[in-house]
């Protein structure tokens, strides 16, 4: 925090000369302004503190939206500091919902981070287009070994340059309660019909088959539910590529049919699903009142935290009848990346850090400390369920296209989609109209062939 | 020191704070709204393009009018329920003074809690899976009343209006109480002596004399309702669940500015902020001058 004092602001008492008084008032006004502005600015940059720390040890400031990961990052970064004794990294997390604004402001001043955790795809573009990040092409050699699908998330949409080292990816599949399956004589389904039969059996036994929420806090999960059940039905990667080339539209009958699946499955969701919130379904699943949880790999840790004794399994949804793709699919996307602030005073050291973040050493630490899927190639998660998800993604991975490709303009594809799907579940629209709305929304800015 | 300078010394601090925290951001928003933005970089003068986007780009074009309509309903519902009940409470407390202080304090307690917290608490109470409200209704044999209150497009907005009224009913009550205390008792007595019924005395004597208070309450309710955010956000999320049936201007602004981000988020959200300000400011001015004319007729 910087405090600025001026004489005028602090002086009191009687002043005889008019013009002098006037000048001091102005000075005082400026003083008040300066203090007010300084109060608004984020805390002092770690770079400055590093210089003061003495010697030639450099302190890097690392910004993140993961407030809950402080301990894990401290442990991970301690390993980095051991092999890089001249660099000290200070992990500084912010509230996730405020992070994009805090970061954009931080990067514009001198008190910003040296290295920052970056959102992927559309969420990255405002920073790229404002020229706030250093392109890493040719500077971090290890990036050439990364999965091309995941690297897309760290690229500038217009210039195609890489602006971050991807740290994680998320996969989408169904978690299931092994005990409930066993009690009801159910196997992980091999066909769509098996899955529907199993859901019917569970429902008859008074168990909620699918823990799906569509309430106020859960609309963002609806495109995820759609991906899990419908990716194969709309044609997966092939359809996505045709969409990007402009050969197909969201109004395609296959895409409409994939939306209808959600409506068809509604009887197997919790009652009044439009009023059900995420903590409700997590509680249902964690307490054994719901048997299957169609969700992302990111939910494994919270579910197990709620009930560590839960015996869980994982399956990919078998392709529904009529699907153009006949093998199960595991949709996924790059979670985010770590990039270098273009205004950092310690570019070389910051680059050292992100280079290290592309090594298996970091990837392995990240996977074991945070129970997430590391984006570094060749890293196997120690958790067997995560390892299975990773294996499924490696074999049958496909992009979650509404997030990966349709967040580069406003309205976002998935923003229109989630609102319309919620409307559909509330009985106010039908699958065809949902598809038309999405096409209408993204059609205003999306140019095929890019 | 001349008199105007003494005045200036006293006015300066407030003026500075007002300028820095109110006038400056307003002018900035106006300025921002006329530019095209790439992240936090201004790239060029956009004229009215950001405003045109709000009215011309799907789905904002539909959401803007829908949100405005919901704000209007919110205002109408609040006037009808919160302020009428507030007036009733004030009259009862005025007439039957027993326990007045305690009741006034009780009715105003929900003030102390932030709307976000109130919204969260009520959404827990109304939760269809675990909430006590529906459990109580079912226990009382009123199963058909155990609705998904916040999950049905027909009940969600009315429920939000009721919860908002629950929180703020003490506000019109206090203002009306003060106004009632300021009406000389002779007027009411004279009307009753002349043979007016209790209702006639209220309708013909008390109510007209409350015009200034009604004006203040109406305008402040209007401003509060058209800026509604915290409560709706806590109960219905940023999208105005379910199916946008509780979407209001504050939520739309939040989505355009922060949730859907986008490269030009600053330009479009500033345009929306300016529109909201102009509308609320304009209507408030008109309403104030209307009520002032009504007051003058009383004299």
């Amino acid at each position: 925090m910087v405090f600025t004092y001026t004489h005028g602001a602090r002086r009191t008492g009687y002043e005889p000369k008019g013009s002098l008084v006037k000048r001091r008032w102005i000075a005082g006004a400026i003083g008040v302004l300066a203090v007010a502005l300084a109060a608004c600015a984020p805390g002092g940059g770690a770079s400055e503190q590093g210089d003061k720390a003495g010697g030639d040890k450099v302190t890097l400031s690392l910004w993140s939206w993961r407030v809950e990961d402080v301990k894990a990052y401290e442990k991970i970064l301690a390993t980095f500091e051991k092999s890089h004794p001249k660099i000290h990294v200070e992990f500084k997390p912010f509230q996730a919902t405020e992070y994009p604004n805090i970061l954009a402001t931080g990067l514009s001043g001198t008190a910003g981070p040296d290295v920052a955790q970056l959102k992927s795809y559309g969420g990255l573009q405002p920073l790229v287009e404002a020229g706030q990040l250093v392109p890493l092409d040719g500077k971090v050699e290890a990036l050439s070994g990364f999965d091309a699908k995941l690297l897309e998330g760290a690229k500038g949409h217009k210039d195609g340059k890489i602006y971050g080292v991807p740290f994680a990816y998320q996969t989408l599949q169904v978690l299931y309660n092994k005990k409930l399956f066993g009690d009801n004589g159910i196997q992980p389904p091999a066909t769509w019909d098996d899955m529907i039969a199993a859901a019917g059996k569970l429902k008859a036994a008074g168990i909620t088959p699918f823990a799906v929420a569509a309430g106020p806090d859960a609309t963002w999960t609806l495109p995820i539910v759609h991906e899990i059940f419908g990716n194969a039905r709309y044609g997966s990667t092939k359809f996505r590529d045709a969409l990007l080339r402009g050969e197909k539209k969201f109004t395609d009958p296959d895409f409409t049919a994939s939306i209808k699946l959600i409506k068809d499955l509604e009887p197997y969701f919790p009652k009044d699903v439009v009023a059900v919130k995420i903590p409700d379904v997590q509680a249902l699943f964690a307490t054994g009142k719901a048997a299957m949880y169609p969700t992302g790999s990111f939910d494994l840790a919270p579910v197990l935290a709620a009930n560590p004794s839960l015996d869980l399994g994982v399956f990919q949804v078998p392709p529904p009848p009529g699907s153009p793709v006949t093998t199960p699919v595991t949709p996924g996307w790059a979670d985010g990346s770590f990039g270098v602030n273009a205004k950092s005073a310690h570019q070389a050291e910051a680059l050292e850090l992100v280079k290290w973040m592309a090594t298996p050493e970091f990837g392995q630490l990240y996977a074991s400390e945070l129970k997430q899927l590391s984006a570094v190639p060749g890293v196997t998660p120690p958790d067997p369920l995560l390892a299975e998800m990773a294996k499924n993604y490696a074999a049958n991975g496909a992009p979650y296209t509404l997030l990966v490709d349709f967040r580069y303009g406003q309205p976002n594809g998935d923003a229109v989609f989630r609102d319309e799907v919620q409307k559909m579940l509330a009985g106010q629209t039908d699958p065809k109209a949902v598809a038309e709305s999405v096409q209408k929304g993204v059609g205003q800015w999306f140019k095929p062939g890019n | 020191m001349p008199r105007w300078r003494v005045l200036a010394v006293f006015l300066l601090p407030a003026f500075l704070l007002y300028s820095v925290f109110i006038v400056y951001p307003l002018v900035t928003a106006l300025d921002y709204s006329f530019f095209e933005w790439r992240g936090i970089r201004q790239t060029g003068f956009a004229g009215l393009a950001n405003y045109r986007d709000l009215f011309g780009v799907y789905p904002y074009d539909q959401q803007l009018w829908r949100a405005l309509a919901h704000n209007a309903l919110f205002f109408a519902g609040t006037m009808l329920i919160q302020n009428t009940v507030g007036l009733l409470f004030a009259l009862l407390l005025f007439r039957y003074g027993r326990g007045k202080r305690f009741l006034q304090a009780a009715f105003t307690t929900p003030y102390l809690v932030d709307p976000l917290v109130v919204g969260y608490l009520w959404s827990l109470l109304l939760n269809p899976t675990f909430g006590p409200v529906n459990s109580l209704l079912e226990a009382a044999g009123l199963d058909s009343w155990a609705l998904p209150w916040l999950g049905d497009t027909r009940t969600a907005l009315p429920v939000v209006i009721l919860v908002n009224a629950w929180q703020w009913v003490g506000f019109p009550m206090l203002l009306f109480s003060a106004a009632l205390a300021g009406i000389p008792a002779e007027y009411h007595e004279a009307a009753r002596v002349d043979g007016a019924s209790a209702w006639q005395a209220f309708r013909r004597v008390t109510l007209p004399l409350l015009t200034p208070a009604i004006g203040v309450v109406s305008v402040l309710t209007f401003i509060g309702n058209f800026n509604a955010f915290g409560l709706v956000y806590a109960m219905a999320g940023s999208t105005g669940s379910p199916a946008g049936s509780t979407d209001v201007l504050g939520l739309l602004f939040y989505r355009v500015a922060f949730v859907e981000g986008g490269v030009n988020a600053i330009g479009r959200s500033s345009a929306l902020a300016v529109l909201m300000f102009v509308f609320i400011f304009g209507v408030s001015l008109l309403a104030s001058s209307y009520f002032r004319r009504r007051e003058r007729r009383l004299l």
Side-chain angles (χ1 to χ4, degrees):
Chain A
M1 188 77 71
V2 184
F3 286 103
T4 311
Y5 297 111
T6 69
H7 298 295
R10 313 209 72 203
R11 191 163 296 189
T12 50
Y14 181 66
E15 297 283 350
K17 276 277 176 254
S19 65
L20 193 68
V21 174
K22 200 167 168 188
R23 264 207 304 279
R24 292 213 163 119
W25 278 348
I26 293 167
I30 293 168
V32 170
L33 257 171
V35 171
L37 290 176
C40 300
S47 311
E48 299 156 32
Q49 290 160 19
D51 295 338
K52 271 180 239 146
D56 44 7
K57 188 157 177 160
V58 168
T59 296
L60 294 179
S61 155
L62 172 63
W63 285 16
S64 160
W65 67 78
R66 298 289 302 176
V67 181
E68 51 277 65
D69 293 349
V70 176
K71 282 220 171 86
Y73 270 101
E74 276 168 4
K75 210 167 158 190
I76 294 170
L77 293 167
T79 312
F80 171 75
E81 288 175 7
K82 241 179 250 165
S83 56
H84 299 77
K86 296 215 160 166
I87 306 176
H88 170 65
V89 188
E90 204 179 65
F91 183 75
K92 209 169 173 185
F94 297 90
Q95 183 62 32
T97 45
E98 311 297 324
Y99 185 73
N101 297 307
I102 294 173
L103 181 62
T105 318
L107 291 174
S108 68
T110 51
D114 298 293
V115 175
Q117 194 173 23
L118 307 168
K119 302 270 176 189
S120 51
Y121 308 105
L124 174 69
Q125 303 312 312
L127 304 178
V128 169
E129 299 212 10
Q132 294 176 305
L133 300 169
V134 178
L136 301 179
D137 304 70
K139 291 179 183 155
V140 182
E141 294 82 13
L143 282 175
S144 56
F146 274 59
D147 180 70
K149 286 197 295 278
L150 299 181
L151 273 181
E152 262 179 54
K155 280 185 180 172
H157 192 54
K158 286 192 182 145
D159 61 12
K161 289 183 184 158
I162 302 172
Y163 287 93
V165 175
F167 56 86
Y169 64 102
Q170 302 293 348
T171 64
L172 302 176
Q173 58 279 304
V174 179
L175 296 175
Y176 70 93
N177 183 324
K178 279 188 174 165
K179 186 174 174 293
L180 286 181
F181 267 40
D183 291 351
N184 292 279
I186 300 168
Q187 295 292 316
T191 67
W192 179 268
D193 293 338
D194 283 355
M195 190 179 79
I196 300 300
K201 214 168 172 182
L202 288 162
K203 195 182 176 186
I207 297 160
T208 303
F210 293 110
V212 169
D217 63 340
T219 48
W220 64 273
T221 64
L222 293 173
I224 285 178
V225 171
H226 168 253
E227 279 293 316
I228 292 171
F229 292 113
N231 188 296
R233 182 64 192 83
Y234 70 68
S236 201
T237 311
K238 245 189 192 162
F239 177 79
R240 178 246 185 171
D241 294 343
L243 207 55
L244 296 186
R245 285 193 302 266
E247 290 157 14
K248 294 222 169 173
K249 291 190 167 177
F250 284 108
T251 44
D252 192 272
D254 279 330
F255 196 78
T256 307
S258 72
I259 300 170
K260 189 171 169 288
L261 293 173
I262 306 178
K263 189 74 191 159
D264 294 345
L265 288 170
E266 193 186 348
Y268 306 113
F269 297 163
K271 193 170 146 266
D272 302 323
V273 67
V274 177
V276 175
K277 292 187 167 190
I278 294 172
D280 303 346
V281 290
Q282 282 191 341
L284 283 175
F285 187 66
T287 55
K289 287 182 182 138
M292 295 179 269
Y293 190 12
T295 189
S297 42
F298 51 82
D299 260 339
L300 184 62
V303 163
L304 286 175
N307 181 2
S309 64
L310 214 54
D311 190 8
L312 293 179
V314 159
F315 70 83
Q316 308 177 86
V317 169
S323 298
V325 171
T326 50
T327 47
V329 185
T330 292
W333 74 93
D335 208 9
S337 64
F338 284 105
V340 176
N341 180 358
K343 283 194 177 171
S344 164
H346 305 293
Q347 302 263 345
E349 290 82 3
L351 205 58
E352 275 305 309
L353 178 58
V354 295
K355 265 186 187 167
W356 181 71
M357 286 169 157
T359 62
E361 184 180 32
F362 171 79
Q364 207 65 54
L365 276 168
Y366 182 87
S368 52
E369 290 298 326
L370 290 165
K371 285 209 172 174
Q372 298 280 341
L373 297 165
S374 166
V376 178
V379 171
T380 343
D383 183 280
L385 284 176
L386 279 178
E388 195 176 338
M389 295 175 190
K391 203 182 88 206
N392 288 339
Y393 183 73
N396 313 308
Y400 162 14
T401 186
L402 279 171
L403 182 155
V404 166
D405 305 305
F406 292 95
R407 274 198 188 172
Y408 292 110
Q410 280 184 300
N412 292 170
D414 64 333
V416 179
F417 187 78
R418 58 162 200 232
D419 289 0
E420 292 295 313
V421 170
Q422 197 196 31
K423 250 191 220 172
M424 177 178 80
L425 290 173
Q428 296 204 326
T429 187
D430 58 40
K432 198 162 162 279
V434 173
E436 280 162 6
S437 298
V438 175
Q439 183 57 43
K440 190 174 167 194
V442 302
Q444 296 168 117
W445 57 265
F446 174 70
K447 302 270 176 296
N450 282 345
Chain B
M1 205 188 285
R3 196 178 141 74
W4 70 268
R5 282 200 180 145
V6 178
L7 275 177
V9 169
F10 281 106
L11 287 176
L12 191 67
F15 176 74
L16 271 179
L17 283 176
Y18 182 77
S19 308
V20 171
F21 292 108
I22 298 184
V23 178
Y24 176 72
L26 279 174
V27 173
T28 316
L30 184 66
D31 171 37
Y32 285 2
S33 71
F34 291 121
F35 285 88
E36 163 89 20
W37 289 77
R38 312 265 93 192
I40 56 158
R41 194 162 56 92
Q42 269 184 9
T43 51
F45 188 69
L48 292 174
N50 289 323
Y51 293 89
R52 265 204 309 276
D53 284 354
L54 290 175
F55 290 100
V57 172
Y58 174 84
Y60 307 117
D61 55 348
Q62 296 181 4
Q63 290 178 355
L64 184 67
W65 297 113
R66 184 180 71 184
L68 189 67
H70 287 158
N71 276 115
L73 281 174
F74 201 149
F75 173 63
T78 305
M79 286 300 287
L80 204 68
I81 297 163
Q82 173 191 298
N83 295 348
T84 313
V85 172
L87 176 59
L88 184 72
F89 284 175
L91 281 169
L92 291 175
L93 285 177
F94 183 67
R95 215 106 329 141
Y96 314 98
R98 207 186 300 171
K100 184 172 170 181
R101 278 184 184 259
F102 169 75
L103 288 171
Q104 273 185 348
F107 286 132
T108 45
T109 316
Y111 276 33
L112 304 179
V113 186
D114 189 89
L116 265 174
V117 179
V118 169
Y120 180 67
L121 288 176
W122 275 98
S123 70
L124 284 181
L125 292 173
L126 294 166
N127 184 309
T129 322
F130 305 106
V133 170
N134 282 1
S135 307
L136 278 175
L137 286 171
E138 276 162 19
L142 293 167
D143 295 46
S144 58
W145 278 78
L147 299 171
W149 297 103
L150 290 170
D152 190 311
T153 49
R154 286 161 304 180
T155 53
L157 187 61
V159 167
V160 171
I161 292 171
L162 284 175
V163 170
N164 183 65
W166 173 84
Q167 181 174 20
W168 296 112
V169 70
F171 166 73
M173 184 196 75
L174 283 182
L175 281 183
F176 286 133
S177 292
L180 284 170
I183 300 174
E186 298 85 48
Y187 295 0
H188 187 81
E189 282 160 16
R192 293 306 296 268
V193 167
D194 286 346
S197 67
W199 168 250
Q200 281 172 326
F202 169 74
R203 178 69 192 78
R204 304 280 170 197
V205 178
T206 312
L207 197 60
L209 288 170
L210 285 177
T211 308
I214 293 173
V216 170
V217 168
S218 306
V219 171
L220 289 179
T221 303
F222 175 80
I223 295 172
N225 285 169
F226 274 78
N227 282 322
F229 176 73
L231 182 76
V232 196
Y233 179 73
M235 296 183 80
S238 65
T239 57
S241 272
S245 59
T246 54
D247 198 15
V248 289
L249 290 170
L251 291 182
L252 178 63
F253 173 81
Y254 180 77
R255 288 201 303 275
V256 173
F258 303 123
V259 182
E260 281 150 44
V263 168
N264 190 27
I266 294 181
R268 277 186 190 168
S269 60
S270 298
L272 181 53
V274 169
L275 284 181
M276 283 171 68
F277 174 76
V278 168
F279 178 74
I280 294 170
F281 188 61
V283 174
S284 301
L285 276 186
L286 286 178
S288 302
S289 77
Y290 168 78
F291 280 108
R292 226 171 299 132
R293 260 181 284 129
R294 290 290 300 247
E295 278 168 43
R296 247 178 265 132
R297 240 182 280 163
L298 282 176
L299 299 175

